[in-house]
Amino acid sequence: MVKHHVYWWNLESLFDIENSPRRSEFLNDHLGVELKEWDSVILDKKIANLTSIISKFNDNNGPDILGVCEVENEHVIKLLIAAMNMSLNKNYGFVISEGDDKRGIDTALIYDNAKYGPEQDIFSLRVIKRNTTRDLFQVHIKTATGNKLIVYLITGLLAQEAN
């Protein structure tokens, strides 16, 4: 039986730097207070702190699969993955769901490319009450043994189903 070391983590506002050119004007206007003095030095420190903990998962081998929420964009996920790859000597890939959350908070799935093939199918379902909230994100990936692994990222929760 193959074991999958799957983790979920709320990265607690892994945002791009203040006044980032990768951020929409709407988010720049609405995230002002949260991003005051949030520069590349602080972002790099947050990435380093996250990586030091993530590297300890799975008896210091790092996660096979890591679902994350409260990430702003693809750029910051790439920074985190680069640090994880360097720390763990691995090759992680990812998929991100760019949602409609007012704070620009998204979910992403990070996976070890040595154990899982590229994503095959990606589905998002927006949950709307008064405003759009974070989405339900479903990703289908192949395991190294050729099985399909279906991973669900649900605001604050990660679920998996293998077949």
Side-chain angles (χ1 to χ4, degrees):
M1 175 180 246
V2 176
K3 288 187 179 184
H4 304 277
H5 297 274
V6 180
Y7 300 84
W8 171 259
W9 198 352
N10 179 334
L11 299 180
E12 298 187 19
S13 302
L14 181 58
F15 287 124
D16 208 339
I17 60 172
E18 185 177 18
N19 299 315
S20 169
R22 292 168 291 273
R23 181 176 299 115
S24 71
E25 187 175 323
F26 174 83
L27 285 179
N28 262 335
D29 293 344
H30 288 83
L31 292 175
V33 173
E34 290 185 65
L35 297 175
K36 188 166 176 56
E37 299 180 14
W38 186 261
D39 60 15
S40 60
V41 173
I42 293 170
L43 176 58
D44 290 347
K45 180 68 174 167
K46 181 157 184 145
I47 295 287
N49 288 341
L50 290 170
T51 302
S52 73
I53 300 301
I54 292 167
S55 296
K56 294 177 181 167
F57 292 177
N58 184 20
D59 294 325
N60 297 314
N61 292 305
D64 294 336
I65 295 174
L66 175 63
V68 296
C69 70
E70 289 204 20
V71 57
E72 181 180 358
N73 57 34
E74 189 171 310
H75 173 72
V76 294
I77 280 291
K78 285 181 178 178
L79 293 175
L80 177 61
I81 288 174
M84 290 169 55
N85 286 340
M86 184 176 292
S87 174
L88 292 161
N89 195 27
K90 291 196 176 193
N91 180 21
Y92 285 102
F94 75 98
V95 289
I96 187 168
S97 176
E98 297 275 352
D100 293 332
D101 182 85
K102 286 194 309 190
R103 291 179 57 226
I105 293 175
D106 299 321
T107 55
L109 181 73
I110 300 169
Y111 56 90
D112 185 344
N113 276 312
K115 296 181 179 184
Y116 306 96
E119 67 281 358
Q120 293 195 326
D121 297 307
I122 301 170
F123 305 96
S124 289
L125 172 64
R126 305 283 183 241
V127 177
I128 300 174
K129 287 181 113 182
R130 286 183 290 272
N131 299 314
T132 304
T133 64
R134 283 162 258 179
D135 62 345
L136 306 177
F137 187 35
Q138 178 178 326
V139 180
H140 299 203
I141 55 179
K142 288 266 189 190
T143 66
T145 57
N147 293 317
K148 184 191 300 187
L149 183 66
I150 302 170
V151 182
Y152 303 93
L153 291 90
I154 305 166
T155 307
L157 175 67
L158 176 102
Q160 67 180 24
E161 170 186 313
N163 69 358

